[in-house]
Amino acid sequence: MSDQAGTVSRQSQTIRVCRSCETSSLRTFLDLGSTPLADRLVTQAELQSPEPTFPLNVAFCQSCGLVQITETVDPEILFADNYPYYSSFSQALLDHSKANVLDIMSRRSLTSDSLVIELASNDGYLLKNYVANGIPVLGIDPADGPAAAAEKVGVPTLNAFFTREFAQKLHDEGRRADVVHANNVLAHVADTNGFVSGIRLILKDNGVAVIEAPYLKPLIDHVEFDTIYHEHLCYFSVTALDALFRRHGLYLNEVKPLSIHGGSLRLYVEPQERVGQSVKDHLALEKAQGLDSLAYFQDFSARVAGLRTSLLKLLGDLKAQGKTIAAYGAAAKGATMINYVGIGPDLIDFVVDRNVHKQGKFMPGQKIPIRAPDALIEARPDYVLMLAWNFADEIIAQQQAYRALGGRFIVPVPEPRII
Ligand code: JHZ
């Protein structure tokens, strides 16, 4: 693919067949242009160097219903070095994860003889709750920094990508799990089928995989286009997931809608088929609403473009009135938002984020500086564009002092509004 300097790099590949069913049934319905990598924050030393950019096109598989991007960037570039995402910076996510663990512990009557494995265990945000209850765990994560942070909080972690080969090794060593967690990772893996067959290999026959993934329906219905970036290869419907798991002797038996990350699903997947009402209802609803056909996605591109126009107008009007604007959340989705919409340093003075690994760096593409949240009180911008809108409640609750000074937030999706 070509980078900004126009050279050809071998850092990405364009797929020709569906990531799940492998048929040639892909139809592209959204083109977000060629964008930089959303979590590749720019350092001071890199400010003058060109950033690699990659095409960001989204397609629907007319055969199995899976929505997916068509470019696969080398995962070593995306996740291994300097990956800045640490799950533990959101209290809402920590609370959500702890509740998930307590629920599973009681559902499955886990003991000190059980084993829980988490794929993409990040900084140990979830598994530490099992450790606190004396239940053996194993984390697996390719990102060096978060994996080291997990070890520090007592979560044994293998610093590696989870692949089918890796799963085979664990299986051969007799390391099979009563529970496998995989939160916000299924969409991230290039070998979708290998990953799912790997889950089957490391799961005991009476085990359960508890998987969380953003749900396609709210993404489309609420124009959450900014959750599309190169790390997210797939955007799942229940229809597409059901077919994917069945191919590997796994059954989606229960599904629970979650509000996290703009609307997600928690999937309970087992080697035994006992499909519950929640799954039957979701499948029926998706069919009735047409989420399993291309027509559902046909006007999405126009709606995304409409959001871009209205957000640019709102920010432009505020600047014309002499207002100052900052942004909250150096989130990956924030990178898609500012780069697709074209929000640069002319509109936004700085971005704040609690994650110390992001502070002092610059947003990809637009190169807006990232500062600590205290900057909102120091600089007192009139408005703050909420790039991490999925945590808006938590963030606004923390920013009472800024609000008391007259500060206002702009929430960009599903349509820009000032709150
Ligand atoms: P956040 C993440 O995406 C990571 P991102 C990943 N790409 C994924 O799959 C999706 O989630 C589902 C900061 N923050 O997590 C922390 C504060 O500063 O919504 C983060 O940098 N103060 C793997 O990166 C950012 O905001 C706070 O009070 O798009 C939020 O990023 C809170 C709550 C967060 O999504």
Side-chain angles (χ1 to χ4, degrees), residues 357-416:
H357 307 279
K358 296 184 177 182
Q359 294 164 11
K361 297 188 175 150
F362 297 79
M363 291 298 282
Q366 298 289 355
K367 299 192 171 76
I368 303 170
I370 302 166
R371 300 173 61 182
D374 294 349
L376 294 184
I377 300 294
E378 286 156 24
R380 294 195 197 179
D382 297 304
Y383 291 87
V384 172
L385 175 62
M386 184 67 87
L387 294 173
W389 48 261
N390 49 318
F391 291 124
D393 292 347
E394 181 176 349
I395 290 167
I396 290 170
Q398 283 164 23
Q399 290 301 328
Q400 288 312 323
Y402 167 69
R403 297 254 285 177
L405 291 169
R408 312 281 302 270
F409 284 94
I410 301 167
V411 179
V413 298
E415 58 202 349

Side-chain angles (χ1 to χ4, degrees), residues 250-267:
L250 287 169
Y251 299 91
L252 176 55
N253 288 335
E254 190 184 336
V255 61
K256 194 174 165 196
L258 305 167
S259 59
I260 199 142
H261 290 307
S264 298
L265 296 174
R266 181 176 294 154
L267 316 163

Side-chain angles (χ1 to χ4, degrees), residues 87-96 354 394 398:
S87 304
S88 294
F89 282 100
S90 162
Q91 190 56 44
L93 184 74
L94 291 174
D95 296 345
H96 168 92
R354 263 202 328 195
E394 181 176 349
Q398 283 164 23

Side-chain angles (χ1 to χ4, degrees), residues 85 188 229 231-232 328 332-333 353-354 358 390 398:
Y85 181 76
H188 298 60
Y229 42 89
E231 281 169 49
H232 292 169
Y328 198 114
K333 66 175 71 61
D353 198 292
R354 263 202 328 195
K358 296 184 177 182
N390 49 318
Q398 283 164 23

Side-chain angles (χ1 to χ4, degrees), residues 38-114:
D39 268 320
R40 191 184 175 282
L41 302 179
V42 178
T43 63
Q44 182 82 39
E46 291 166 337
L47 272 180
Q48 305 311 325
S49 317
E51 279 172 84
T53 63
F54 300 88
L56 197 49
N57 295 314
V58 189
F60 173 78
C61 173
Q62 290 195 300
S63 182
C64 75
L66 181 65
V67 169
Q68 52 206 285
I69 60 166
T70 53
E71 199 71 11
T72 307
V73 177
D74 181 351
E76 287 287 345
I77 299 169
L78 286 174
F79 301 112
D81 293 336
N82 299 320
Y83 188 58
Y85 181 76
Y86 286 67
S87 304
S88 294
F89 282 100
S90 162
Q91 190 56 44
L93 184 74
L94 291 174
D95 296 345
H96 168 92
S97 307
K98 186 172 184 178
N100 186 11
V101 166
L102 295 179
D103 177 54
I104 292 294
M105 275 175 52
S106 77
R107 275 181 186 232
R108 308 299 290 200
S109 308
L110 300 179
T111 69
S112 56
D113 292 328
S114 309

